[in-house]
Amino acid sequence: MEVKTYRVTGYMLISHDRYPTWQRFTKDVRGVSEKEVLEKVYSILGSNHKVKRYHIRIERIEEIDPSASRDPFIRQVANSERIVKP
């Protein structure tokens, strides 16, 4: 299994009770499969923004080159030869 880098784009519903607005998002995530990446995006958005899964609309999941990622941590991890856990 090879770890790949994916770019996920979509919309999430912010403040759904008072003034509902759909906010666009783009996340770069590393994972083995698209299904794993989708679960990770749901988890990240749910924990950071308190958004339920049914308030998240995924438009596109595409595999990208790690060097094209906007996230500096993902670029650094992709360029490392090995990762040593403490």
Side-chain angles (χ1 to χ4, degrees), residues 45-60:
L45 293 178
S47 65
N48 291 346
H49 301 285
K50 304 298 186 252
V51 178
K52 300 290 184 190
R53 287 174 178 243
Y54 52 84
H55 289 145
I56 300 172
R57 302 283 184 250
I58 303 295
E59 284 186 328
R60 183 175 50 210

Side-chain angles (χ1 to χ4, degrees), residues 17-52:
D17 51 352
R18 284 186 247 159
Y19 302 107
T21 56
W22 287 94
Q23 183 176 352
R24 186 170 181 77
F25 70 87
T26 302
K27 286 282 187 196
D28 293 342
V29 182
R30 290 178 51 86
V32 176
S33 66
E34 288 186 8
K35 186 177 179 181
E36 178 185 347
V37 168
L38 185 62
E39 287 294 321
K40 190 176 275 191
V41 168
Y42 281 142
S43 176
I44 291 169
L45 293 178
S47 65
N48 291 346
H49 301 285
K50 304 298 186 252
V51 178
K52 300 290 184 190

